[in-house]
Amino acid sequence: MQTLYYVILVPMTYLAFAVFFIGTGLRLFTIYRTPKYPAALQIFPEKHPGRLWAIHDALLLPTIRKHNPLLWVFLMLFHIGFFPLIIGHIELFREFGIFQIIPHEVFPGRGFVGLILCLSLLFFLGRRFFSPVREISTPGDYFLLILLFLAALFGSQMDWARRWYGYDALLVENYRDYLLSLLYLKPELNFAVLNSGHAFMLVLHVFFANLFLMIFPFSKLMHAFTSVAMNKLRRG
Amino acid sequence: MDQNIRNDLLKLFRENLSRAMKLYLETCSRCGLCVQACHVHASMPQLRYIAAYRAEIIRKIYQKYFKAQGSFFPRLSEAKELNDDALQELYEVAFSCTGCRRCMVYCPHGIDTEMLMSMAKLLLVGARREPEMLSLLADTSIEKGKSLALFKKDFLTGIKSLESRVIEKWKCPAGQAPIPVDVQGADILYVPLSGARSIIPAAAIFNAAGRNWTLSFFEAVNFGAFLGDPARTRLILERIIDEARRLKVKKVVACECGTAFRVMKQLSGKQPFEVVSIVQEMARYLREGLIRVNRSRCNGPITYHDPCQIARNGGVIDEPREILRHLAQDFREMSPDPAYNWCCGGGGGLVAMGEDTLDFRMKSARVKVDQILATGAKIVVTACENCHTQLSDLNDHYKMGVEIRLLSSMVADALVGPEETASTNPEKQTLRETTRIPA
Amino acid sequence: MNDEIKADKILDLKDLPCPIPVVKISKGIKEVQIGQVVEAHTTDPGSLTDFPAWARITGNEILKTEKGDKVFKFYIRRVK
């Protein structure tokens, strides 16, 4: 069991980050190396400047707000949720003053960020079981949502346990020791990370998150990096 | 399917993959927003008429042959083998898409389904499974360009026969040809369709505006674009570019044909001439007082159908409304606004395929009929021959009881000269409503 | 060539929108036997160039073109 924990927490994590960065870079490179389409692809009526409107479209999803407001609410909650999520993960390495502009305990959001992410993912998954979205969904669409849900659920569990149930056998300091040891290439697994009662949650969270990172460059998740460019094509 | 044929088709696929197409193929999140976008799906709710589903057919082939995931985990993205069944499916989705790009208004990423359908069409052309009629029409256009010398004399005779009908609409000064052809150094090259109705009103309008113009030998419509064959699209377009360069014109004016305008405008590249639609020209003449029209000749509620390739995809949205303000007293916009205009259901070559597609065209455009009827208009004006034909068919089929008109013929019929305005419209009211020009 | 050509089928293609005359002649020619003649009436000046180009592509033969004041008459023999 210890070996399995080690494999997931150390080599697999390194691998996942390598695949994510190299894969995403290569994917973007191969796409942008392909010649441009020779004609304009924009639609009208147009608004200037197109570049800013493209960013607006990619970040605020105006077409979804207009045509499916409920989906839009969940999409916005979900995507905005990534900000505190990423900040929270950075703070698991060390604290940065700038993030404390809004004073918070690590992890930001008092446990609700994870809750919102999980509920949004359940909503996205649920709607895929109903027509007409069911018919246009591929198996990969479901797996991706399930994978994200599992990663978010086990991640949130750890947060919830500390914040809501006063669980104190696996603390922010323990994560910091683990993550910093990875960062400085001297991986070391402390006692709490390997042996506390919630260690399995950490391992499962890291496992699913690693899978997510490795799948990212090869899936539609790449829209995170391509949506602005595509909206720019539409905006002209 | 023969392995050699498949390899040829995949080569065609690879060679025509642009950056935009790769982005479109990789990014669809299948959110389902586009379900509401397609007029075909809105009129007959079947799975294969959802934009994302149409795109998915081509995307699954892409997954199979161009993505590692498709080889290792084909079931995950339902990667699909390129075989005869797949071609049949490609035919069904590609030739039921009119290329109106209404789905692009809905998609959060702005995916252009028409472009993905053009890849489907390209594969069909490669496999010689394209609609025979579109292929024949494209080849006929190209042949005309090659052997113009053989047909030139007959064409001039044909044009001559229209002159008296141009003069009926607008008398041009003695010694001036009502329909000038092959004029070196003219300002404008007007590219019409084969039909007289795309030539006569336009000629009267150019003459009334005192333009130095010349008629093209070729028809504007690009059947290569309908067919989805870039090579033939190029050949058909180049006949006109060559003619414009030879005559050294400053401006190429496309007739009322959506595909013609969009192809000429967007694919001509950098040229010594600009490409505009006749709709833009007419609006300018009215604005600058080069022509004037009598508003009292058009009574009753009137609406305008935006041809997709001219409005949503070509950017000519305000000009037709500007013209109609000069012509009509009771103009009614279709609901909700031009960005959400339904396609007439005849684009993408469907009208050019004639009666073979009639049944589909009628069924798939029911929402367009509802959109028109909701305005209560008695006259439906449009600026595309293709839309005009389709709307006329809809008018007959659904017994809509409206009149379908082309914008240029409305303008030509309402043209008035300075002396005529005074004699036929003595009332002050009417005088104010006609557009004034400096003497 | 005889002045009097006897047509086996007459197609009225007058006042039709683009490109329906070419569409209809393509269908109409297949409804007669090889060697038989279709007489097509059009009003479009473009048909005077469209039809000869079409005939070259499809390998059919235009026997005669009558250019009337308003109506053009084509006599086309099905070759293939």
Side-chain angles (χ1 to χ4, degrees):
Chain A
M1 208 51 162
Q2 298 272 331
T3 319
L4 185 64
Y5 278 19
Y6 176 80
V7 168
I8 291 170
L9 291 176
V10 181
M12 188 191 182
T13 306
Y14 279 128
L15 180 71
F17 275 88
V19 171
F20 173 75
F21 284 112
I22 297 169
T24 305
L26 279 178
R27 299 285 317 122
L28 289 175
F29 177 73
T30 50
I31 289 172
Y32 283 91
R33 202 188 47 182
T34 315
K36 264 188 176 171
Y37 185 72
L41 291 169
Q42 78 175 112
I43 54 170
F44 298 88
E46 62 184 342
K47 281 186 186 171
H48 294 288
R51 201 172 296 274
L52 285 185
W53 281 104
I55 293 170
H56 161 267
D57 292 351
L59 295 184
L60 297 179
L61 314 173
T63 69
I64 301 183
R65 185 181 63 221
K66 187 159 183 182
H67 301 293
N68 193 341
L70 182 65
L71 174 62
W72 182 78
V73 168
F74 279 103
L75 280 171
M76 289 313 281
L77 285 174
F78 176 76
H79 285 100
I80 292 170
F82 271 86
F83 281 99
L85 192 76
I86 290 168
I87 289 173
H89 279 89
I90 292 173
E91 284 176 328
L92 287 183
F93 287 89
R94 57 165 281 203
E95 299 230 8
F96 290 90
I98 189 162
F99 294 145
Q100 285 297 345
I101 288 175
I102 304 167
H104 63 268
E105 232 179 274
V106 177
F107 216 90
R110 299 172 182 224
F112 285 100
V113 169
L115 187 66
I116 286 169
L117 289 179
C118 288
L119 290 178
S120 309
L121 285 162
L122 281 181
F123 175 78
F124 300 148
L125 189 61
R127 70 188 287 277
R128 288 220 177 265
F129 286 96
F130 294 95
S131 191
V133 189
R134 189 183 62 197
E135 285 87 348
I136 54 172
S137 300
T138 61
D141 297 335
Y142 296 91
F143 287 142
L144 207 53
L145 285 169
I146 293 169
L147 179 65
L148 258 171
F149 176 74
L150 290 172
L153 182 72
F154 287 109
S156 306
Q157 279 280 0
M158 293 185 283
D159 196 26
W160 297 337
R162 282 187 300 113
R163 307 296 285 272
W164 295 348
Y165 310 116
Y167 182 78
D168 61 0
L170 188 59
L171 295 170
V172 171
E173 289 69 36
N174 306 127
Y175 301 132
R176 275 198 189 135
D177 289 343
Y178 157 59
L179 288 171
L180 284 173
S181 77
L182 284 184
L183 188 66
Y184 293 122
L185 305 178
K186 289 191 171 166
E188 199 178 300
L189 298 178
N190 57 56
F191 180 82
V193 161
L194 278 179
N195 297 306
S196 66
H198 281 188
F200 78 97
M201 279 191 207
L202 172 69
V203 172
L204 283 172
H205 171 68
V206 171
F207 175 73
F208 290 122
N210 283 345
L211 271 185
F212 170 76
L213 285 175
M214 289 193 282
I215 287 169
F216 191 102
F218 312 103
S219 69
K220 63 181 186 179
L221 293 166
M222 285 293 285
H223 74 256
F225 296 108
T226 56
S227 195
V228 173
M230 292 172 72
N231 272 297
K232 178 71 178 56
L233 292 176
R234 167 167 59 181
R235 284 288 184 176
Chain B
M1 184 189 285
D2 189 340
Q3 188 59 42
N4 288 334
I5 297 176
R6 181 178 299 126
N7 290 342
D8 288 349
L9 293 181
L10 292 174
K11 186 161 169 270
L12 212 54
F13 200 138
R14 187 174 302 112
E15 285 170 354
N16 283 279
L17 269 174
S18 61
R19 184 187 304 168
M21 203 173 294
K22 276 193 176 170
L23 288 168
Y24 295 150
L25 285 169
E26 308 228 350
T27 311
C28 176
S29 37
R30 288 170 288 280
C31 67
L33 210 64
C34 55
V35 171
Q36 318 163 47
C38 182
H39 65 281
V40 186
H41 187 266
S43 300
M44 2 181 209
Q46 289 176 29
L47 189 56
R48 60 186 162 156
Y49 302 137
I50 296 174
Y53 184 89
R54 293 177 196 272
E56 207 54 24
I57 307 283
I58 199 86
R59 189 174 289 117
K60 282 169 182 173
I61 294 169
Y62 176 73
Q63 287 282 352
K64 167 91 185 164
Y65 297 100
F66 300 101
K67 298 276 285 178
Q69 195 200 92
S71 331
F72 294 130
F73 312 105
R75 295 288 290 274
L76 218 51
S77 52
E78 295 173 339
K80 206 184 205 102
E81 192 174 331
L82 181 58
N83 54 24
D84 288 323
D85 288 347
L87 283 177
Q88 183 56 35
E89 239 181 323
L90 287 174
Y91 190 101
E92 280 167 20
V93 296
F95 286 100
S96 61
C97 168
T98 58
C100 73
R101 294 162 108 219
R102 194 173 186 268
C103 42
M104 223 171 151
V105 180
Y106 284 75
C107 177
H109 303 298
I111 293 175
D112 181 353
T113 312
E114 186 200 23
M115 183 191 264
L116 299 179
M117 291 302 97
S118 76
M119 183 60 93
K121 289 180 171 188
L122 184 69
L123 295 180
L124 290 164
V125 170
R128 296 184 193 283
R129 294 270 291 265
E130 79 275 24
E132 213 180 311
M133 189 55 71
L134 291 182
S135 207
L136 177 60
L137 287 168
D139 290 340
T140 302
S141 284
I142 294 166
E143 176 60 29
K144 237 156 85 170
K146 277 192 214 151
S147 17
L148 176 62
L150 296 174
F151 316 134
K152 210 166 178 171
K153 212 173 120 251
D154 278 347
F155 181 71
L156 295 175
T157 319
I159 293 303
K160 202 101 195 129
S161 74
L162 300 179
E163 287 184 346
S164 62
R165 286 158 73 194
V166 175
I167 293 169
E168 273 169 32
K169 293 197 189 291
W170 188 265
K171 266 195 192 57
C172 50
Q176 186 192 317
I179 310 178
V181 183
D182 219 9
V183 181
Q184 191 76 30
D187 294 329
I188 290 172
L189 175 68
Y190 175 64
V191 196
L193 297 171
S194 291
R197 73 169 175 214
S198 82
I199 302 173
I200 295 167
I205 293 164
F206 288 130
N207 293 341
R211 298 293 88 186
N212 175 15
W213 69 288
T214 185
L215 185 77
S216 171
F217 282 111
F218 305 111
E219 78 285 333
V221 60
N222 198 314
F223 296 110
F226 284 149
L227 194 58
D229 182 344
R232 280 188 268 186
T233 304
R234 196 75 227 163
L235 281 172
I236 294 170
L237 173 62
E238 265 163 12
R239 305 168 313 160
I240 297 163
I241 295 178
D242 291 346
E243 189 182 32
R245 295 181 75 111
R246 178 173 64 80
L247 297 175
K248 299 195 166 53
V249 297
K250 297 188 185 83
K251 200 184 258 184
V252 170
V253 177
C255 64
E256 288 169 295
C257 171
T259 304
F261 172 60
R262 186 165 160 220
V263 170
M264 281 192 225
K265 187 171 169 61
Q266 299 187 341
L267 293 178
S268 288
K270 207 170 153 47
Q271 298 292 349
F273 53 83
E274 62 167 329
V275 175
V276 299
S277 157
I278 187 168
V279 180
Q280 291 167 294
E281 279 298 281
M282 291 189 295
R284 188 169 72 82
Y285 298 163
L286 284 166
R287 201 181 309 136
E288 293 177 3
L290 295 172
I291 57 171
R292 35 193 209 167
V293 288
N294 185 338
R295 190 193 256 193
S296 63
R297 288 191 194 170
C298 167
N299 295 313
I302 189 164
T303 189
Y304 178 70
H305 164 74
D306 275 298
C308 303
Q309 309 304 357
I310 291 181
R312 183 180 300 119
N313 303 329
V316 182
I317 297 172
D318 297 335
E319 292 89 338
R321 288 162 177 82
E322 193 182 335
I323 296 169
L324 284 169
R325 274 199 295 279
H326 286 283
L327 289 173
Q329 281 146 356
D330 182 5
F331 174 70
R332 299 177 184 185
E333 196 66 80
M334 282 190 220
S335 173
D337 73 61
Y340 288 96
N341 184 55
W342 288 113
C343 172
C344 67
L350 293 186
V351 159
M353 280 144 85
E355 278 161 14
D356 292 354
T357 56
L358 186 65
D359 183 55
F360 175 78
R361 283 191 279 126
M362 295 303 103
K363 285 179 183 156
S364 64
R366 196 183 41 76
V367 287
K368 181 78 234 179
V369 174
D370 295 342
Q371 196 183 28
I372 292 172
L373 291 178
T375 64
K378 288 290 153 221
I379 302 172
V380 180
V381 187
T382 190
C384 168
E385 177 90 357
N386 206 77
C387 298
H388 184 279
T389 306
Q390 164 75 357
L391 292 172
S392 304
D393 287 345
L394 288 173
N395 194 17
D396 295 343
H397 182 84
Y398 287 96
K399 301 192 172 48
M400 294 164 69
V402 296
E403 191 188 346
I404 316 287
R405 297 286 309 266
L406 283 167
L407 200 48
S408 65
S409 95
M410 300 268 298
V411 172
D413 286 353
L415 283 174
V416 285
E419 68 293 338
E420 205 184 333
T421 320
S423 60
T424 53
N425 305 293
E427 297 145 41
K428 216 175 158 193
Q429 170 89 19
T430 325
L431 263 175
R432 210 179 56 228
E433 282 173 357
T434 51
T435 320
R436 301 210 57 105
I437 54 161
Chain C
M1 200 182 294
N2 287 336
D3 275 331
E4 283 300 308
I5 300 170
K6 196 188 144 293
D8 300 281
K9 186 181 175 74
I10 296 179
L11 284 177
D12 178 6
L13 309 176
K14 294 197 284 286
D15 295 317
L16 289 173
C18 155
I20 303 302
V22 179
V23 172
K24 291 214 164 174
I25 188 66
S26 306
K27 297 217 156 168
I29 199 85
K30 289 192 180 144
E31 285 163 16
V32 299
Q33 302 296 316
I34 288 175
Q36 289 187 315
V37 174
V38 173
E39 179 183 333
H41 301 180
T42 76
T43 47
D44 295 337
S47 60
L48 292 166
T49 50
D50 283 341
F51 278 41
W54 166 85
R56 283 167 73 97
I57 291 292
T58 55
N60 293 299
E61 186 186 357
I62 298 185
L63 301 173
K64 194 168 78 160
T65 311
E66 280 176 17
K67 285 157 276 192
D69 222 14
K70 285 204 167 126
V71 177
F72 313 117
K73 289 184 184 170
F74 297 87
Y75 296 86
I76 306 161
R77 175 155 56 205
R78 180 170 176 192
V79 178
K80 284 196 209 168

